[in-house]
Amino acid sequence: QALQVAQPNTSILLAPGTYSADTGEIFPISLKPRVKVQGNSADERGQRVIIRGGGVFESPSGSRNIAILGGANQAMLSGVTVTNPNGYGIQVESSNPTIMNNTFTGNGIGGMVLVGNSASILYNNVLSDNVTSGILLIGSSRPKIDSNRFERTGIAIIADERSAPTIVENQIVQNLDGVVVKGQAQPDLQKNTIEKNERYGLWAIATASFDVERISKTGDNTIKDNGKEDISRADLSSEQAPAEQNSAAKVTANQPQPANATSSNGGEAIGDNQTAANAPQKQLTHIQNVSDERSASQPERATSNSNPTVEAANRSGTSQTTPLPPTKPDAPLDSSLPASAPLAKPIVQSN
C-alpha cells in the first residue's frame, strides 16, 4: 500500500510477512518509476517477505491475471517472494525495471511475462515450481536475463515473436524444457548451464528463424544430460506446443482452472485432475501456443534508455548508494513459503 503514496527516488522497505488481499493489498500491485521496493537480503531472495495474490490487468498485448505490474522505468523489485496461484507473478510492460534477488514460485501460469519493447534487467532470481513457464518473452522485449536459477518450472524460458533477450550465466535444470525459441525470436545465450531437463535443453521449433546450430558452436554454454535431446529443431507435431495461455484471454482473479475443462480462452486445462495452481510439473503435457492478437498496426510504447540505479537503504533511516552484492544462485532454495506473520508498516525513505 505504501506504493500508492511513494514519490520518485524513494525506497520502500518491507517488513517480513505475507502481503495479500487479507492485509489490504489491491492486485495487481503497480511499481512506480524510480521507486525501489526492497524486502530482505540478496542471499535470502525474499524467503520471509511474501507477496501473494493476483488481479486481472488489461494491456495492448491482452488480458492476464498478474500479481505485480512492472510497467515503470527505473523501478526496482528486490528481496521478495511472489506467488500468484491463478496467473503470473509479474508482467513487465514496455519498460525497464530491475528485478533482482527475488523468488518466483507457485505461480499458476508463469513467473514473469515481458511484453512490448521491455528492456529489463532480471538478475539473481530463483524461478521454481511454476506451472507453465519461468519467463515468457513476447513482442520485441529484449531483457538481460543474468545469473538466475530455473528449476521444476515448466519451460524455463520461452522466447517468442521478435524478442531478443541476452541470456547469460543462468542455471536451467530439472524443468520440462530449458529454452524454447519460436517465431522470429533471436536470443543470445552465453555461459549458461542447461541440463537434466525432462525433454529438451534448447529447442528451436522448426518454424523458428533462430540459428540453433550457431549457438551450439559458440557462447560457451553447457547443454547436456537432457531427457530427449540437448539441442533440437523438432517440429511441433513431435511434441505438444509450448506457450502461455492465449494472450488475449481473461483469467479470472479468484478461480483456478478446473481440471479437464475448457478454459475461458478456449484452451485446455493444464493437467489431469489438477488445478492451474497446484498442477505438478510432471502433469504439464499440454501447453498452448502463444496467440498474440494485437493489431499489426498498433504501435508499441517507447521505453527509456536510462540505466537503472541500485539504491540500497537501511532501516535506520540512513540512505546510501551502493550496488547490492552479486550473489550467485549456485544452490536451489527451499521453495516452501513461510507462514504468515503480522506485518509492520513499510518504511518509506528518500534516496
Side-chain angles (χ1 to χ4, degrees):
Q1 298 181 60
L3 269 169
Q4 297 176 20
V5 297
Q7 298 300 310
N9 303 313
T10 58
S11 294
I12 299 173
L13 306 181
L14 299 178
T18 298
Y19 296 79
S20 68
D22 292 339
T23 62
E25 302 301 330
I26 299 174
F27 292 94
I29 297 169
S30 295
L31 300 182
K32 285 190 171 182
R34 302 194 305 280
V35 173
K36 174 184 175 183
V37 178
Q38 171 71 57
N40 51 29
S41 70
D43 292 334
E44 292 183 276
R45 298 188 191 94
Q47 290 297 292
R48 295 180 295 112
V49 182
I50 315 302
I51 297 174
R52 188 200 306 270
V56 173
F57 175 71
E58 306 277 353
S59 84
S61 67
S63 176
R64 298 179 184 85
N65 186 299
I66 61 174
I68 298 172
L69 175 62
N73 288 323
Q74 301 181 62
M76 177 179 287
L77 179 68
S78 179
V80 303
T81 291
V82 181
T83 180
N84 175 10
N86 299 304
Y88 289 95
I90 189 168
Q91 175 168 318
V92 177
E93 184 88 17
S94 295
S95 54
N96 65 356
T98 295
I99 303 169
M100 61 188 298
N101 306 327
N102 304 290
T103 296
F104 292 83
T105 187
N107 292 287
I109 300 179
M112 306 183 195
V113 54
L114 279 71
V115 305
N117 55 0
S118 303
S120 302
I121 296 173
L122 313 177
Y123 177 72
N124 194 34
N125 301 285
V126 171
L127 298 101
S128 68
D129 300 290
N130 302 294
V131 172
T132 298
S133 60
I135 298 175
L136 170 67
L137 308 167
I138 57 177
S140 56
S141 54
R142 53 189 192 281
K144 183 174 184 180
I145 304 173
D146 184 356
S147 302
N148 303 281
R149 184 175 182 88
F150 301 80
E151 56 187 0
R152 303 183 309 276
T153 196
I155 299 170
I157 301 172
I158 303 173
D160 199 0
E161 299 185 344
R162 302 172 308 283
S163 60
T166 299
I167 304 172
V168 56
E169 293 191 347
N170 298 279
Q171 300 288 318
I172 302 174
V173 297
Q174 297 180 344
N175 304 287
L176 179 65
D177 297 305
V179 178
V180 172
V181 184
K182 298 185 66 192
Q184 300 176 41
Q186 295 294 326
D188 181 15
L189 285 81
Q190 305 170 24
K191 299 181 180 179
N192 299 283
T193 297
I194 307 174
E195 61 184 8
K196 299 179 182 177
N197 297 289
E198 185 175 325
R199 298 194 306 198
Y200 303 112
L202 173 60
W203 180 15
I205 291 173
T207 55
S209 60
F210 179 64
D211 185 357
V212 68
E213 288 77 17
R214 178 183 63 82
I215 289 295
S216 67
K217 297 175 183 177
T218 62
D220 196 22
N221 298 286
T222 299
I223 308 176
K224 65 178 184 178
D225 299 332
N226 296 285
K228 289 195 172 182
E229 289 183 80
D230 292 326
I231 299 175
S232 176
R233 284 202 66 92
D235 189 88
L236 280 178
S237 61
S238 65
E239 296 288 351
Q240 301 292 352
E244 69 159 343
Q245 300 288 339
N246 187 317
S247 63
K250 289 187 177 181
V251 184
T252 58
N254 298 314
Q255 295 297 323
Q257 179 69 43
N260 299 325
T262 300
S263 69
S264 61
N265 59 14
E268 295 181 7
I270 291 175
D272 296 336
N273 302 316
Q274 302 288 337
T275 66
N278 64 12
Q281 182 263 326
K282 291 292 184 181
Q283 294 292 333
L284 200 152
T285 57
H286 183 132
I287 312 171
Q288 285 186 298
N289 283 322
V290 171
S291 177
D292 186 5
E293 297 183 0
R294 290 173 295 181
S295 168
S297 63
Q298 185 174 30
E300 292 176 330
R301 287 177 283 176
T303 183
S304 167
N305 292 321
S306 301
N307 292 324
T309 302
V310 180
E311 294 178 339
N314 61 38
R315 294 184 183 274
S316 66
T318 302
S319 299
Q320 53 185 351
T321 302
T322 180
L324 291 173
T327 307
K328 294 288 185 179
D330 45 36
L333 296 180
D334 183 0
S335 61
S336 60
L337 299 180
S340 298
L343 294 178
K345 185 177 181 181
I347 301 171
V348 181
Q349 296 182 340
S350 296
N351 292 329

PDB file of all heavy atoms in Angstrom, residues 324-348:
ATOM      1  N   LEU A 324      24.070  -3.758  -4.721  1.00  0.00           N
ATOM      2  CA  LEU A 324      23.792  -4.907  -3.883  1.00  0.00           C
ATOM      3  C   LEU A 324      24.766  -6.025  -4.235  1.00  0.00           C
ATOM      4  O   LEU A 324      25.230  -6.129  -5.362  1.00  0.00           O
ATOM      5  CB  LEU A 324      22.353  -5.378  -4.100  1.00  0.00           C
ATOM      6  CG  LEU A 324      21.291  -4.415  -3.566  1.00  0.00           C
ATOM      7  CD1 LEU A 324      19.915  -4.905  -3.985  1.00  0.00           C
ATOM      8  CD2 LEU A 324      21.360  -4.293  -2.060  1.00  0.00           C
ATOM      9  N   PRO A 325      25.089  -6.901  -3.283  1.00  0.00           N
ATOM     10  CA  PRO A 325      26.074  -7.945  -3.553  1.00  0.00           C
ATOM     11  C   PRO A 325      25.640  -8.873  -4.673  1.00  0.00           C
ATOM     12  O   PRO A 325      24.486  -9.289  -4.703  1.00  0.00           O
ATOM     13  CB  PRO A 325      26.161  -8.704  -2.225  1.00  0.00           C
ATOM     14  CG  PRO A 325      25.204  -8.084  -1.304  1.00  0.00           C
ATOM     15  CD  PRO A 325      24.554  -6.932  -1.943  1.00  0.00           C
ATOM     16  N   PRO A 326      26.536  -9.194  -5.598  1.00  0.00           N
ATOM     17  CA  PRO A 326      26.177 -10.042  -6.735  1.00  0.00           C
ATOM     18  C   PRO A 326      26.178 -11.514  -6.359  1.00  0.00           C
ATOM     19  O   PRO A 326      27.020 -12.286  -6.815  1.00  0.00           O
ATOM     20  CB  PRO A 326      27.268  -9.709  -7.757  1.00  0.00           C
ATOM     21  CG  PRO A 326      28.459  -9.371  -6.918  1.00  0.00           C
ATOM     22  CD  PRO A 326      27.920  -8.737  -5.661  1.00  0.00           C
ATOM     23  N   THR A 327      25.241 -11.931  -5.523  1.00  0.00           N
ATOM     24  CA  THR A 327      25.205 -13.313  -5.071  1.00  0.00           C
ATOM     25  C   THR A 327      24.795 -14.217  -6.216  1.00  0.00           C
ATOM     26  O   THR A 327      23.810 -13.980  -6.883  1.00  0.00           O
ATOM     27  CB  THR A 327      24.192 -13.465  -3.933  1.00  0.00           C
ATOM     28  OG1 THR A 327      24.512 -12.508  -2.936  1.00  0.00           O
ATOM     29  CG2 THR A 327      24.215 -14.855  -3.349  1.00  0.00           C
ATOM     30  N   LYS A 328      25.540 -15.293  -6.456  1.00  0.00           N
ATOM     31  CA  LYS A 328      25.213 -16.245  -7.500  1.00  0.00           C
ATOM     32  C   LYS A 328      24.275 -17.320  -6.939  1.00  0.00           C
ATOM     33  O   LYS A 328      24.500 -17.839  -5.855  1.00  0.00           O
ATOM     34  CB  LYS A 328      26.491 -16.933  -8.022  1.00  0.00           C
ATOM     35  CG  LYS A 328      27.422 -15.981  -8.733  1.00  0.00           C
ATOM     36  CD  LYS A 328      26.863 -15.579 -10.076  1.00  0.00           C
ATOM     37  CE  LYS A 328      27.852 -14.717 -10.840  1.00  0.00           C
ATOM     38  NZ  LYS A 328      27.346 -14.338 -12.158  1.00  0.00           N
ATOM     39  N   PRO A 329      23.209 -17.701  -7.690  1.00  0.00           N
ATOM     40  CA  PRO A 329      22.298 -18.736  -7.223  1.00  0.00           C
ATOM     41  C   PRO A 329      22.856 -20.118  -7.499  1.00  0.00           C
ATOM     42  O   PRO A 329      22.399 -20.830  -8.372  1.00  0.00           O
ATOM     43  CB  PRO A 329      21.046 -18.462  -8.058  1.00  0.00           C
ATOM     44  CG  PRO A 329      21.563 -17.863  -9.307  1.00  0.00           C
ATOM     45  CD  PRO A 329      22.806 -17.091  -8.926  1.00  0.00           C
ATOM     46  N   ASP A 330      23.881 -20.524  -6.737  1.00  0.00           N
ATOM     47  CA  ASP A 330      24.557 -21.775  -7.059  1.00  0.00           C
ATOM     48  C   ASP A 330      23.960 -22.977  -6.358  1.00  0.00           C
ATOM     49  O   ASP A 330      24.447 -24.072  -6.480  1.00  0.00           O
ATOM     50  CB  ASP A 330      26.056 -21.674  -6.729  1.00  0.00           C
ATOM     51  CG  ASP A 330      26.308 -21.035  -5.381  1.00  0.00           C
ATOM     52  OD1 ASP A 330      25.519 -21.270  -4.454  1.00  0.00           O
ATOM     53  OD2 ASP A 330      27.288 -20.291  -5.270  1.00  0.00           O
ATOM     54  N   ALA A 331      22.889 -22.798  -5.592  1.00  0.00           N
ATOM     55  CA  ALA A 331      22.234 -23.934  -4.976  1.00  0.00           C
ATOM     56  C   ALA A 331      20.741 -23.672  -4.943  1.00  0.00           C
ATOM     57  O   ALA A 331      20.306 -22.548  -4.765  1.00  0.00           O
ATOM     58  CB  ALA A 331      22.753 -24.137  -3.542  1.00  0.00           C
ATOM     59  N   PRO A 332      19.905 -24.709  -5.139  1.00  0.00           N
ATOM     60  CA  PRO A 332      18.468 -24.496  -5.090  1.00  0.00           C
ATOM     61  C   PRO A 332      18.009 -24.097  -3.706  1.00  0.00           C
ATOM     62  O   PRO A 332      18.582 -24.521  -2.704  1.00  0.00           O
ATOM     63  CB  PRO A 332      17.898 -25.868  -5.492  1.00  0.00           C
ATOM     64  CG  PRO A 332      18.996 -26.837  -5.260  1.00  0.00           C
ATOM     65  CD  PRO A 332      20.279 -26.079  -5.421  1.00  0.00           C
ATOM     66  N   LEU A 333      16.973 -23.259  -3.663  1.00  0.00           N
ATOM     67  CA  LEU A 333      16.419 -22.836  -2.394  1.00  0.00           C
ATOM     68  C   LEU A 333      15.195 -23.663  -2.072  1.00  0.00           C
ATOM     69  O   LEU A 333      14.537 -24.210  -2.944  1.00  0.00           O
ATOM     70  CB  LEU A 333      16.014 -21.356  -2.463  1.00  0.00           C
ATOM     71  CG  LEU A 333      17.151 -20.362  -2.681  1.00  0.00           C
ATOM     72  CD1 LEU A 333      16.580 -18.966  -2.733  1.00  0.00           C
ATOM     73  CD2 LEU A 333      18.184 -20.457  -1.576  1.00  0.00           C
ATOM     74  N   ASP A 334      14.869 -23.742  -0.814  1.00  0.00           N
ATOM     75  CA  ASP A 334      13.628 -24.357  -0.399  1.00  0.00           C
ATOM     76  C   ASP A 334      12.483 -23.491  -0.865  1.00  0.00           C
ATOM     77  O   ASP A 334      12.362 -22.349  -0.458  1.00  0.00           O
ATOM     78  CB  ASP A 334      13.616 -24.485   1.133  1.00  0.00           C
ATOM     79  CG  ASP A 334      12.362 -25.182   1.628  1.00  0.00           C
ATOM     80  OD1 ASP A 334      11.507 -25.557   0.804  1.00  0.00           O
ATOM     81  OD2 ASP A 334      12.258 -25.358   2.844  1.00  0.00           O
ATOM     82  N   SER A 335      11.631 -24.022  -1.747  1.00  0.00           N
ATOM     83  CA  SER A 335      10.569 -23.207  -2.324  1.00  0.00           C
ATOM     84  C   SER A 335       9.337 -23.119  -1.442  1.00  0.00           C
ATOM     85  O   SER A 335       8.374 -22.466  -1.790  1.00  0.00           O
ATOM     86  CB  SER A 335      10.172 -23.779  -3.694  1.00  0.00           C
ATOM     87  OG  SER A 335       9.686 -25.090  -3.537  1.00  0.00           O
ATOM     88  N   SER A 336       9.332 -23.788  -0.305  1.00  0.00           N
ATOM     89  CA  SER A 336       8.186 -23.694   0.580  1.00  0.00           C
ATOM     90  C   SER A 336       8.092 -22.291   1.160  1.00  0.00           C
ATOM     91  O   SER A 336       9.097 -21.665   1.471  1.00  0.00           O
ATOM     92  CB  SER A 336       8.315 -24.715   1.719  1.00  0.00           C
ATOM     93  OG  SER A 336       9.473 -24.474   2.463  1.00  0.00           O
ATOM     94  N   LEU A 337       6.872 -21.795   1.284  1.00  0.00           N
ATOM     95  CA  LEU A 337       6.679 -20.431   1.721  1.00  0.00           C
ATOM     96  C   LEU A 337       6.528 -20.381   3.232  1.00  0.00           C
ATOM     97  O   LEU A 337       5.837 -21.210   3.827  1.00  0.00           O
ATOM     98  CB  LEU A 337       5.432 -19.840   1.063  1.00  0.00           C
ATOM     99  CG  LEU A 337       5.474 -19.786  -0.458  1.00  0.00           C
ATOM    100  CD1 LEU A 337       4.195 -19.179  -0.989  1.00  0.00           C
ATOM    101  CD2 LEU A 337       6.675 -19.007  -0.940  1.00  0.00           C
ATOM    102  N   PRO A 338       7.137 -19.404   3.887  1.00  0.00           N
ATOM    103  CA  PRO A 338       6.999 -19.303   5.331  1.00  0.00           C
ATOM    104  C   PRO A 338       5.588 -18.907   5.719  1.00  0.00           C
ATOM    105  O   PRO A 338       4.833 -18.353   4.931  1.00  0.00           O
ATOM    106  CB  PRO A 338       8.000 -18.196   5.711  1.00  0.00           C
ATOM    107  CG  PRO A 338       8.181 -17.419   4.461  1.00  0.00           C
ATOM    108  CD  PRO A 338       8.010 -18.379   3.329  1.00  0.00           C
ATOM    109  N   ALA A 339       5.251 -19.196   6.947  1.00  0.00           N
ATOM    110  CA  ALA A 339       3.917 -18.866   7.444  1.00  0.00           C
ATOM    111  C   ALA A 339       3.741 -17.359   7.515  1.00  0.00           C
ATOM    112  O   ALA A 339       4.687 -16.605   7.655  1.00  0.00           O
ATOM    113  CB  ALA A 339       3.720 -19.484   8.826  1.00  0.00           C
ATOM    114  N   SER A 340       2.487 -16.932   7.421  1.00  0.00           N
ATOM    115  CA  SER A 340       2.199 -15.509   7.520  1.00  0.00           C
ATOM    116  C   SER A 340       2.581 -14.987   8.896  1.00  0.00           C
ATOM    117  O   SER A 340       2.505 -15.690   9.888  1.00  0.00           O
ATOM    118  CB  SER A 340       0.709 -15.259   7.284  1.00  0.00           C
ATOM    119  OG  SER A 340       0.340 -15.674   5.989  1.00  0.00           O
ATOM    120  N   ALA A 341       2.989 -13.734   8.936  1.00  0.00           N
ATOM    121  CA  ALA A 341       3.353 -13.096  10.194  1.00  0.00           C
ATOM    122  C   ALA A 341       2.701 -11.726  10.235  1.00  0.00           C
ATOM    123  O   ALA A 341       2.397 -11.145   9.191  1.00  0.00           O
ATOM    124  CB  ALA A 341       4.879 -12.967  10.290  1.00  0.00           C
ATOM    125  N   PRO A 342       2.472 -11.172  11.414  1.00  0.00           N
ATOM    126  CA  PRO A 342       1.935  -9.811  11.496  1.00  0.00           C
ATOM    127  C   PRO A 342       2.830  -8.841  10.744  1.00  0.00           C
ATOM    128  O   PRO A 342       4.061  -8.933  10.826  1.00  0.00           O
ATOM    129  CB  PRO A 342       1.920  -9.534  12.998  1.00  0.00           C
ATOM    130  CG  PRO A 342       1.917 -10.870  13.643  1.00  0.00           C
ATOM    131  CD  PRO A 342       2.692 -11.757  12.731  1.00  0.00           C
ATOM    132  N   LEU A 343       2.231  -7.928  10.007  1.00  0.00           N
ATOM    133  CA  LEU A 343       3.005  -7.013   9.170  1.00  0.00           C
ATOM    134  C   LEU A 343       3.293  -5.716   9.898  1.00  0.00           C
ATOM    135  O   LEU A 343       2.400  -5.106  10.485  1.00  0.00           O
ATOM    136  CB  LEU A 343       2.240  -6.691   7.886  1.00  0.00           C
ATOM    137  CG  LEU A 343       2.021  -7.870   6.919  1.00  0.00           C
ATOM    138  CD1 LEU A 343       1.221  -7.394   5.732  1.00  0.00           C
ATOM    139  CD2 LEU A 343       3.340  -8.446   6.476  1.00  0.00           C
ATOM    140  N   ALA A 344       4.550  -5.328   9.865  1.00  0.00           N
ATOM    141  CA  ALA A 344       4.902  -3.980  10.311  1.00  0.00           C
ATOM    142  C   ALA A 344       4.639  -3.018   9.156  1.00  0.00           C
ATOM    143  O   ALA A 344       4.607  -3.405   8.002  1.00  0.00           O
ATOM    144  CB  ALA A 344       6.364  -3.928  10.729  1.00  0.00           C
ATOM    145  N   LYS A 345       4.442  -1.763   9.478  1.00  0.00           N
ATOM    146  CA  LYS A 345       4.219  -0.768   8.430  1.00  0.00           C
ATOM    147  C   LYS A 345       5.477  -0.599   7.596  1.00  0.00           C
ATOM    148  O   LYS A 345       6.567  -0.454   8.123  1.00  0.00           O
ATOM    149  CB  LYS A 345       3.827   0.562   9.052  1.00  0.00           C
ATOM    150  CG  LYS A 345       3.451   1.632   8.050  1.00  0.00           C
ATOM    151  CD  LYS A 345       2.996   2.890   8.752  1.00  0.00           C
ATOM    152  CE  LYS A 345       2.594   3.957   7.741  1.00  0.00           C
ATOM    153  NZ  LYS A 345       2.157   5.203   8.411  1.00  0.00           N
ATOM    154  N   PRO A 346       5.368  -0.677   6.234  1.00  0.00           N
ATOM    155  CA  PRO A 346       6.556  -0.480   5.394  1.00  0.00           C
ATOM    156  C   PRO A 346       7.202   0.874   5.656  1.00  0.00           C
ATOM    157  O   PRO A 346       6.518   1.866   5.964  1.00  0.00           O
ATOM    158  CB  PRO A 346       6.013  -0.569   3.982  1.00  0.00           C
ATOM    159  CG  PRO A 346       4.733  -1.314   4.099  1.00  0.00           C
ATOM    160  CD  PRO A 346       4.180  -0.948   5.430  1.00  0.00           C
ATOM    161  N   ILE A 347       8.525   0.927   5.569  1.00  0.00           N
ATOM    162  CA  ILE A 347       9.273   2.152   5.766  1.00  0.00           C
ATOM    163  C   ILE A 347       9.525   2.801   4.408  1.00  0.00           C
ATOM    164  O   ILE A 347      10.021   2.148   3.486  1.00  0.00           O
ATOM    165  CB  ILE A 347      10.605   1.884   6.480  1.00  0.00           C
ATOM    166  CG1 ILE A 347      10.334   1.239   7.845  1.00  0.00           C
ATOM    167  CG2 ILE A 347      11.420   3.153   6.618  1.00  0.00           C
ATOM    168  CD1 ILE A 347      11.603   0.739   8.531  1.00  0.00           C
ATOM    169  N   VAL A 348       9.182   4.060   4.252  1.00  0.00           N
ATOM    170  CA  VAL A 348       9.434   4.805   3.022  1.00  0.00           C
ATOM    171  C   VAL A 348      10.545   5.787   3.273  1.00  0.00           C
ATOM    172  O   VAL A 348      10.466   6.621   4.178  1.00  0.00           O
ATOM    173  CB  VAL A 348       8.178   5.540   2.540  1.00  0.00           C
ATOM    174  CG1 VAL A 348       8.461   6.282   1.250  1.00  0.00           C
ATOM    175  CG2 VAL A 348       7.025   4.566   2.356  1.00  0.00           C
TER     176      VAL A 348
END
